[in-house]
Amino acid sequence: MKSGVNALIKLRSVLFPVSSHLFSLPKYPVQRTYAIPTFTTCSTYCVTEEESPREEDGNQPSDSTEILKRWGCNDNDLSMIFMRRPSLRNADLNSLQFKLKILSGLGISAPDLVKIINCRPRFLSCRINRCLDERLQFFMTIFGSKEVLVKALVRNPSLFTYDFHKTIKPAIALYEEMGLSREDLITMLLSRPTMIARTSFGDEKMEYIRKTKLSKDSKMYKYVVTLIGISRSETIGRKLANFEKFGFSEDEVFGLFGRSPFVLTLSVDKVQRNMTFIIGTMKLPAKVVLEHPFLLYTNLEAGLRPRILLAAKLQEMGLDLQIKGPELLKALRMKEKRFLEAFITCHPKEIADELMACYMNAKRVKRLAIESKKNSRDGFPF
């Protein structure tokens, strides 16, 4: 029997030869290398993250909650942080301590961290140490002080995580080429935190900027450049066509953009509804908005309609004080308190009560089906 088994083994070795080292184990472990694409010219790994200083065994924090408490977070802060990012409860303690140490060095406090996590829940799960020194040095040359830098970082925590060489530096260089000064960049980075990641300029957008006829010295220039830079060309085209439906020429629309750049942030729907009310109910010419852009910004349900209805009520009651002619546009621009004092509470109590009831009832009328309206956005709202 044994000789038969040996014969089978010999036959198998002849038919299926096997390399002598196929099943053998190396004497020493073989170090494998993998090709990993690199995206920056500086190291994306920091040894200190793994070698963060450890406390004595008796004082070693037991979990992330204790680490955050020692760092300065109170119970309310912790509640808000864990509500936005529950997985932080099981975070790697060394990594968490290392990242909090970076934030402390910048002067970021616990309330700031709550804002950061609320804005970017995955922030403490990201590698915020990538190109850190080079990144902070670059931002310090822009913002000029640590206080302003911290303000910008809290408003847009992604400044820690954007690719430094392929996203941040090219975007800033584009705006500098467009003629924005460092002061302009500070203003726009604080007011439009996501402008770095969303900026693009093509021939079509450059033509849009030229059509506004603004010089680089104009106060509105930085707003026009930034808003066009972060907007999609298709979106700008739709908004331009929407104005043209109401009889505006292309030059008039770009002139309006140049005088009041934030018209670019208004949705097509809002402009349509306000323009329809201005023309149909207020009986004003469409081009009145060229000189009075506030008519487009004012909320229709809470601002325009209630005040126009009150003007009609004043006329119906035959009161001497009327809202018409030049007074109409002036009244529509007033702050709420001043408007009430100028046209309602200035009357005797009985009349004032009747006018106030009319005004408040008009303000309570909501847009049809507004409660069930869903906020659907195709990407960035601009």
Side-chain angles (χ1 to χ4, degrees):
M1 183 68 179
K2 185 175 181 181
S3 60
V5 172
N6 291 335
L8 286 173
I9 293 173
K10 288 180 180 179
L11 179 62
R12 181 175 178 272
S13 64
V14 171
L15 294 176
F16 307 102
V18 180
S19 174
S20 61
H21 62 272
L22 184 61
F23 297 104
S24 61
L25 295 175
K27 186 175 182 181
Y28 299 103
V30 177
Q31 184 176 3
R32 298 187 180 214
T33 57
Y34 299 88
I36 301 175
T38 56
F39 298 97
T40 61
T41 58
C42 57
S43 172
T44 60
Y45 176 78
C46 183
V47 178
T48 359
E49 184 170 356
E50 300 299 333
E51 298 178 354
S52 54
R54 296 175 177 270
E55 301 181 28
E56 296 296 328
D57 292 340
N59 202 26
Q60 182 75 10
S62 58
D63 55 25
S64 57
T65 300
E66 189 175 348
I67 289 176
L68 288 166
K69 279 187 175 180
R70 292 185 186 183
W71 191 71
C73 295
N74 57 34
D75 291 339
N76 187 49
D77 295 334
L78 291 172
S79 175
M80 296 180 71
I81 288 172
F82 290 138
M83 181 176 65
R84 288 292 287 157
R85 185 65 173 170
S87 62
L88 277 176
R89 294 182 183 275
N90 303 316
D92 179 86
L93 303 189
N94 289 334
S95 177
L96 180 60
Q97 286 178 310
F98 169 74
K99 290 169 184 175
L100 292 176
K101 186 176 180 180
I102 291 176
L103 301 182
S104 297
L106 290 170
I108 293 176
S109 60
D112 294 329
L113 181 62
V114 173
K115 293 177 185 178
I116 288 173
I117 299 299
N118 185 58
C119 177
R120 296 286 187 276
R122 298 183 68 255
F123 177 75
L124 288 177
S125 302
C126 299
R127 298 179 65 180
I128 64 174
N129 58 309
R130 290 185 297 178
C131 302
L132 184 63
D133 292 339
E134 190 177 0
R135 188 185 301 259
L136 294 179
Q137 185 178 359
F138 178 77
F139 280 132
M140 278 298 293
T141 62
I142 294 175
F143 294 108
S145 69
K146 184 181 284 189
E147 292 74 21
V148 181
L149 172 58
V150 168
K151 187 176 180 180
L153 292 171
V154 172
R155 289 195 175 208
N156 184 15
S158 294
L159 292 176
F160 274 109
T161 58
Y162 289 148
D163 189 293
F164 180 63
H165 292 282
K166 289 195 173 183
T167 301
I168 293 177
K169 292 182 76 174
I172 296 297
L174 272 176
Y175 284 110
E176 289 178 337
E177 288 175 13
M178 296 293 294
L180 269 64
S181 65
R182 289 299 168 96
E183 291 74 17
D184 293 337
L185 281 171
I186 292 173
T187 301
M188 300 318 300
L189 284 167
L190 293 177
S191 63
R192 298 280 160 184
T194 57
M195 62 180 271
I196 285 180
R198 302 183 184 275
T199 292
S200 66
F201 287 103
D203 293 339
E204 193 174 11
K205 287 188 177 183
M206 296 300 291
E207 184 62 23
Y208 288 151
I209 294 172
R210 282 193 291 269
K211 285 181 178 180
T212 62
K213 299 179 180 178
L214 289 177
S215 69
K216 294 182 179 181
D217 297 327
S218 171
K219 292 181 179 179
M220 295 293 107
Y221 181 75
K222 60 179 176 288
Y223 298 105
V224 169
V225 169
T226 305
L227 290 172
I228 290 179
I230 65 176
S231 302
R232 297 183 180 93
S233 297
E234 298 81 4
T235 303
I236 299 173
R238 285 200 301 269
K239 293 181 178 183
L240 177 62
N242 186 44
F243 277 103
E244 290 175 343
K245 289 178 184 177
F246 294 98
F248 296 101
S249 68
E250 188 179 87
D251 288 342
E252 287 174 330
V253 178
F254 280 108
L256 176 61
F257 289 169
R259 290 189 300 275
S260 187
F262 290 102
V263 170
L264 281 167
T265 68
L266 301 178
S267 68
V268 169
D269 178 65
K270 179 173 177 60
V271 171
Q272 282 180 340
R273 297 179 70 248
N274 279 36
M275 286 299 300
T276 301
F277 186 80
I278 291 165
I279 297 169
T281 303
M282 296 174 64
K283 306 299 181 184
L284 294 175
K287 294 186 179 181
V288 71
V289 300
L290 297 178
E291 296 299 326
H292 304 281
F294 79 89
L295 291 169
L296 296 173
Y297 298 108
T298 306
N299 185 281
L300 180 58
E301 283 74 25
L304 290 180
R305 182 179 287 124
R307 295 190 182 190
I308 294 301
L309 291 177
L310 182 69
K313 183 69 174 177
L314 289 169
Q315 187 175 6
E316 178 189 320
M317 294 175 68
L319 299 174
D320 293 335
L321 187 60
Q322 296 289 315
I323 306 177
K324 59 183 179 180
E327 283 294 317
L328 177 62
L329 294 173
K330 184 179 177 181
L332 292 174
R333 293 200 66 168
M334 288 180 179
K335 298 290 186 183
E336 185 75 356
K337 182 180 179 182
R338 185 184 172 197
F339 178 81
L340 296 177
E341 291 173 350
F343 298 103
I344 296 180
T345 58
C346 60
H347 294 96
K349 187 175 185 308
E350 289 185 3
I351 296 176
D353 289 345
E354 185 176 352
L355 292 173
M356 182 64 79
C358 172
Y359 183 64
M360 296 309 296
N361 287 335
K363 288 177 75 73
R364 292 190 191 102
V365 176
K366 301 297 182 184
R367 183 180 175 186
L368 186 63
I370 191 65
E371 298 296 332
S372 61
K373 182 182 177 183
K374 295 181 179 179
N375 293 324
S376 58
R377 288 178 176 172
D378 297 327
F380 196 60
F382 307 123

Coordinates of all heavy atoms in Angstrom, one line a residue, residues 128-160:
I128 N -6.1 67.0 8.7 CA -6.0 68.4 8.6 C -4.5 68.9 8.7 O -4.2 70.1 8.6 CB -6.8 69.1 9.8 CG1 -6.3 68.7 11.1 CG2 -8.3 68.8 9.6 CD1 -6.9 69.5 12.3
N129 N -3.6 67.9 8.9 CA -2.2 68.3 9.0 C -1.5 68.4 7.6 O -0.3 68.6 7.6 CB -1.5 67.3 9.9 CG -1.6 65.9 9.4 OD1 -2.7 65.4 9.1 ND2 -0.4 65.2 9.3
R130 N -2.2 68.1 6.5 CA -1.5 68.1 5.2 C -1.0 69.5 4.9 O -1.8 70.4 4.8 CB -2.5 67.5 4.2 CG -2.8 66.1 4.3 CD -3.7 65.6 3.1 NE -5.0 66.2 3.1 CZ -5.9 66.0 2.2 NH1 -5.6 65.2 1.2 NH2 -7.0 66.6 2.2
C131 N 0.2 69.6 4.6 CA 0.9 70.8 4.2 C 0.5 72.0 5.2 O 0.4 73.1 4.8 CB 0.5 71.3 2.8 SG 0.8 70.1 1.5
L132 N 0.4 71.6 6.4 CA -0.1 72.6 7.4 C 0.7 73.8 7.5 O 0.2 74.9 7.4 CB -0.2 71.9 8.8 CG -0.9 72.7 9.9 CD1 -2.3 73.1 9.5 CD2 -0.8 72.0 11.2
D133 N 2.0 73.7 7.7 CA 2.9 74.9 7.9 C 2.8 75.8 6.6 O 2.7 77.0 6.7 CB 4.3 74.5 8.2 CG 4.4 73.8 9.5 OD1 3.5 74.0 10.4 OD2 5.4 73.1 9.8
E134 N 3.0 75.2 5.4 CA 2.9 75.9 4.2 C 1.6 76.6 4.0 O 1.5 77.7 3.5 CB 3.3 75.0 3.0 CG 3.5 75.7 1.7 CD 3.9 74.8 0.6 OE1 4.0 73.5 0.9 OE2 4.1 75.3 -0.5
R135 N 0.5 75.8 4.3 CA -0.8 76.3 4.2 C -1.1 77.6 5.0 O -1.6 78.6 4.6 CB -1.8 75.2 4.5 CG -3.3 75.5 4.2 CD -4.1 74.3 4.7 NE -3.8 73.1 4.1 CZ -4.4 72.5 3.1 NH1 -5.5 73.1 2.6 NH2 -4.0 71.3 2.6
L136 N -0.7 77.4 6.3 CA -1.0 78.5 7.3 C -0.1 79.8 6.9 O -0.6 80.9 7.1 CB -0.7 78.1 8.7 CG -1.6 77.0 9.2 CD1 -1.2 76.6 10.6 CD2 -3.1 77.5 9.2
Q137 N 1.1 79.5 6.5 CA 2.0 80.6 6.1 C 1.4 81.4 4.9 O 1.4 82.6 4.9 CB 3.4 80.1 5.8 CG 4.4 81.2 5.5 CD 5.8 80.7 5.2 OE1 6.0 79.5 5.3 NE2 6.7 81.6 4.9
F138 N 0.8 80.6 4.0 CA 0.2 81.2 2.8 C -1.0 82.1 3.2 O -1.2 83.2 2.7 CB -0.2 80.1 1.8 CG -0.9 80.6 0.6 CD1 -0.1 81.2 -0.5 CD2 -2.2 80.5 0.4 CE1 -0.8 81.7 -1.6 CE2 -2.9 81.0 -0.7 CZ -2.2 81.5 -1.7
F139 N -1.8 81.5 4.0 CA -3.0 82.2 4.5 C -2.7 83.4 5.3 O -3.4 84.4 5.3 CB -4.0 81.3 5.2 CG -4.8 80.4 4.3 CD1 -4.9 79.0 4.6 CD2 -5.5 80.9 3.2 CE1 -5.7 78.2 3.8 CE2 -6.2 80.1 2.4 CZ -6.3 78.7 2.7
M140 N -1.6 83.4 6.1 CA -1.2 84.5 6.9 C -0.8 85.7 6.0 O -1.1 86.8 6.4 CB -0.1 84.1 7.8 CG -0.5 83.4 9.1 SD -1.6 84.4 10.1 CE -0.5 85.7 10.6
T141 N -0.2 85.4 4.9 CA 0.1 86.5 3.9 C -1.1 87.1 3.4 O -1.1 88.3 3.0 CB 1.0 86.0 2.8 OG1 0.3 85.0 2.0 CG2 2.3 85.4 3.3
I142 N -2.2 86.4 3.3 CA -3.5 87.0 2.7 C -4.2 87.7 3.8 O -4.6 88.9 3.7 CB -4.3 85.8 2.1 CG1 -3.6 85.2 0.9 CG2 -5.7 86.4 1.8 CD1 -4.4 84.0 0.3
F143 N -4.5 87.0 5.0 CA -5.4 87.6 6.0 C -4.6 88.6 6.9 O -5.3 89.4 7.5 CB -6.0 86.5 6.8 CG -6.9 85.6 6.0 CD1 -6.6 84.3 5.7 CD2 -8.2 86.1 5.6 CE1 -7.5 83.5 4.9 CE2 -9.0 85.3 4.9 CZ -8.7 84.0 4.5
G144 N -3.3 88.4 7.0 CA -2.6 89.4 7.8 C -2.5 89.3 9.3 O -1.6 89.7 9.9
S145 N -3.5 88.6 9.9 CA -3.5 88.4 11.3 C -4.1 87.1 11.6 O -4.9 86.5 10.9 CB -4.2 89.5 12.0 OG -5.6 89.4 11.8
K146 N -3.7 86.5 12.8 CA -4.3 85.2 13.2 C -5.8 85.3 13.5 O -6.5 84.3 13.2 CB -3.5 84.7 14.4 CG -4.0 83.3 14.8 CD -3.2 82.8 16.1 CE -1.8 82.4 15.8 NZ -1.2 81.7 16.9
E147 N -6.2 86.4 14.0 CA -7.6 86.6 14.3 C -8.5 86.5 13.0 O -9.5 85.8 13.0 CB -7.9 87.9 15.0 CG -7.3 88.1 16.4 CD -5.8 88.2 16.4 OE1 -5.3 88.7 15.3 OE2 -5.2 88.0 17.4
V148 N -8.1 87.2 12.0 CA -8.9 87.1 10.7 C -8.8 85.7 10.1 O -9.7 85.2 9.6 CB -8.4 88.2 9.8 CG1 -9.2 88.1 8.5 CG2 -8.5 89.6 10.4
L149 N -7.6 85.1 10.2 CA -7.4 83.8 9.7 C -8.3 82.8 10.4 O -9.0 82.0 9.7 CB -5.9 83.3 9.9 CG -5.6 81.9 9.5 CD1 -6.0 81.5 8.1 CD2 -4.1 81.6 9.8
V150 N -8.4 82.9 11.7 CA -9.3 82.0 12.5 C -10.7 82.2 12.1 O -11.5 81.2 11.9 CB -9.1 82.2 14.0 CG1 -10.2 81.5 14.8 CG2 -7.7 81.7 14.4
K151 N -11.1 83.4 11.9 CA -12.5 83.7 11.5 C -12.8 83.1 10.1 O -13.9 82.5 9.9 CB -12.6 85.3 11.3 CG -14.1 85.7 11.1 CD -14.2 87.2 11.1 CE -15.6 87.7 10.8 NZ -15.7 89.2 10.8
A152 N -11.8 83.1 9.2 CA -12.0 82.5 7.9 C -12.1 81.0 8.0 O -12.9 80.3 7.3 CB -10.9 82.9 6.9
L153 N -11.2 80.4 8.8 CA -11.2 79.0 9.0 C -12.5 78.4 9.6 O -13.0 77.4 9.3 CB -10.0 78.5 9.8 CG -8.6 78.7 9.2 CD1 -7.5 78.5 10.2 CD2 -8.4 77.8 8.0
V154 N -13.0 79.2 10.6 CA -14.3 78.8 11.2 C -15.4 78.9 10.2 O -16.3 78.0 10.2 CB -14.6 79.6 12.5 CG1 -15.9 79.4 13.0 CG2 -13.5 79.4 13.5
R155 N -15.4 79.9 9.4 CA -16.5 80.0 8.4 C -16.4 79.0 7.3 O -17.4 78.5 6.8 CB -16.4 81.4 7.7 CG -16.9 82.5 8.7 CD -17.1 83.8 7.9 NE -17.6 84.8 8.8 CZ -18.4 85.8 8.4 NH1 -18.8 85.9 7.1 NH2 -18.9 86.7 9.2
N156 N -15.2 78.6 7.0 CA -15.0 77.5 5.9 C -13.9 76.6 6.4 O -12.7 76.7 6.0 CB -14.6 78.1 4.6 CG -14.5 77.1 3.5 OD1 -15.0 75.9 3.7 ND2 -14.0 77.4 2.4
P157 N -14.2 75.6 7.2 CA -13.2 74.6 7.7 C -12.5 73.9 6.6 O -11.4 73.3 6.8 CB -14.0 73.6 8.6 CG -15.3 74.4 8.9 CD -15.6 75.3 7.7
S158 N -13.1 73.8 5.4 CA -12.5 73.1 4.3 C -11.2 73.8 3.8 O -10.4 73.2 3.0 CB -13.4 73.0 3.1 OG -14.5 72.2 3.4
L159 N -10.9 75.0 4.3 CA -9.6 75.6 4.0 C -8.4 74.7 4.6 O -7.3 74.8 4.1 CB -9.5 77.0 4.6 CG -10.4 78.0 3.9 CD1 -10.3 79.4 4.7 CD2 -10.1 78.2 2.5
F160 N -8.7 73.9 5.6 CA -7.8 72.9 6.1 C -7.6 71.8 5.2 O -6.5 71.1 5.2 CB -8.2 72.4 7.5 CG -7.9 73.2 8.7 CD1 -8.9 73.9 9.3 CD2 -6.6 73.3 9.1 CE1 -8.5 74.7 10.5 CE2 -6.2 74.1 10.2 CZ -7.2 74.8 10.9

